[in-house]
C-alpha cells in the first residue's frame, strides 16, 4: 500500500478532470498539479458529494475562499464521484471551488489515503509554491474536517517562512 506524501517532499504529480463554476456557468477542464506551481495550493480529498460532513467542509472553504486567495492560494477539492455529480453538487451548494474527479480513487490510493471498507479518508494537504507538501492532515474516521482557520495558519506560515514540516495527523 502506498504511503502518503511526507511534509518536506514533493507532492506526486497528477492530472484529473474537474469542474468549476463561474457565476452560473460550469467550466470543465483538466487540472494538472504542475500547472499550480508558483502559488500555494490546498488539496482537500473528501469522501463524497452532498454528504453531511463533506457539504459542511466544502461550503466552509467556499465561504472563506477570499481568505485563501488573499494569501495567493488555490483550493482544489477531490473525490471519486464523476463530473456530473460534482456539477450537481456545486450548483446546488453554489460552490466556486474546483471539484476534481478521481474516479476509481486511483489518485487517493497512490497518495496512501484510502482504507479498506472506508474508501477515501478525509485528507488535506498544503503545498507551497514549489509543490512541496508543507502540512497534512489525514483523518482516521472523517467525521470532522480541518477548519479554514487551521489551513489559513498553515498558508500564512508559508509566506512568513515558518512553515511546519510536520504532519498534523
Amino acid at each position: 500500500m502506498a504511503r502518503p506524501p511526507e511534509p518536506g517532499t514533493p507532492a506526486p504529480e497528477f492530472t484529473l478532470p474537474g469542474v468549476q463554476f463561474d457565476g452560473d456557468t460550469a467550466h470543465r477542464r483538466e487540472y494538472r498539479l504542475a500547472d499550480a506551481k508558483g502559488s500555494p495550493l490546498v488539496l482537500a480529498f473528501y469522501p463524497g458529494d452532498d454528504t453531511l460532513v463533506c457539504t459542511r467542509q466544502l461550503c466552509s472553504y467556499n465561504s472563506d475562499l477570499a481568505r485563501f486567495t488573499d494569501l495567493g492560494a488555490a483550493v482544489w477539492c477531490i473525490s471519486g464521484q464523476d463530473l456530473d455529480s460534482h456539477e450537481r453538487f456545486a450548483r446546488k451548494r453554489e460552490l466556486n471551488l474546483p471539484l476534481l474527479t478521481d474516479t476509481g480513487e486511483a489518485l487517493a490510493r497512490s497518495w496512501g489515503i484510502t482504507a479498506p471498507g472506508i474508501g477515501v479518508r478525509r485528507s488535506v494537504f498544503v503545498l507551497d509554491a514549489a509543490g512541496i507538501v508543507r502540512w497534512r492532515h489525514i483523518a482516521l474516521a472523517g467525521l470532522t474536517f480541518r477548519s479554514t482557520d487551521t489551513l489559513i495558519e498553515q498558508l500564512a506560515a508559508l509566506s512568513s517562512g515558518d512553515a511546519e514540516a510536520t504532519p498534523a495527523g
Side-chain angles (χ1 to χ4, degrees):
M1 181 170 171
R3 298 190 47 80
E6 294 287 338
T9 64
E13 181 58 47
F14 66 84
T15 301
L16 292 174
V19 63
Q20 182 177 18
F21 273 87
D22 176 19
D24 290 333
T25 306
H27 300 279
R28 292 184 180 202
R29 69 175 183 92
E30 295 285 309
Y31 286 80
R32 293 175 4 123
L33 185 58
D35 294 340
K37 287 191 177 155
S39 298
L41 179 64
V42 175
L43 295 175
F45 289 83
Y46 67 102
D49 292 341
D50 225 7
T51 58
L52 181 64
V53 178
C54 296
T55 298
R56 286 195 324 223
Q57 178 184 16
L58 273 59
C59 286
S60 171
Y61 297 169
N62 190 73
S63 293
D64 288 332
L65 197 52
R67 293 179 68 196
F68 292 104
T69 57
D70 285 349
L71 291 171
V75 180
W76 294 356
C77 303
I78 305 169
S79 74
Q81 290 72 45
D82 64 24
L83 288 177
D84 290 337
S85 175
H86 284 344
E87 189 170 328
R88 284 189 303 274
F89 179 44
R91 188 178 302 279
K92 178 178 179 181
R93 300 296 178 173
E94 298 180 356
L95 300 175
N96 299 105
L97 303 161
L99 303 182
L100 284 57
T101 187
D102 181 21
T103 307
E105 299 173 351
L107 180 66
R109 279 195 307 280
S110 74
W111 279 48
I113 56 169
T114 58
I118 295 174
V120 174
R121 294 169 64 190
R122 187 177 316 282
S123 305
V124 181
F125 296 84
V126 173
L127 311 182
D128 68 15
I132 305 297
V133 175
R134 293 298 173 191
W135 182 87
R136 71 178 190 192
H137 180 268
I138 302 165
L140 293 178
L143 301 175
T144 62
F145 59 91
R146 298 303 94 184
S147 70
T148 298
D149 288 341
T150 298
L151 301 177
I152 293 298
E153 287 173 16
Q154 295 303 319
L155 289 165
L158 291 179
S159 61
S160 70
D162 295 332
E164 294 180 21
T166 57

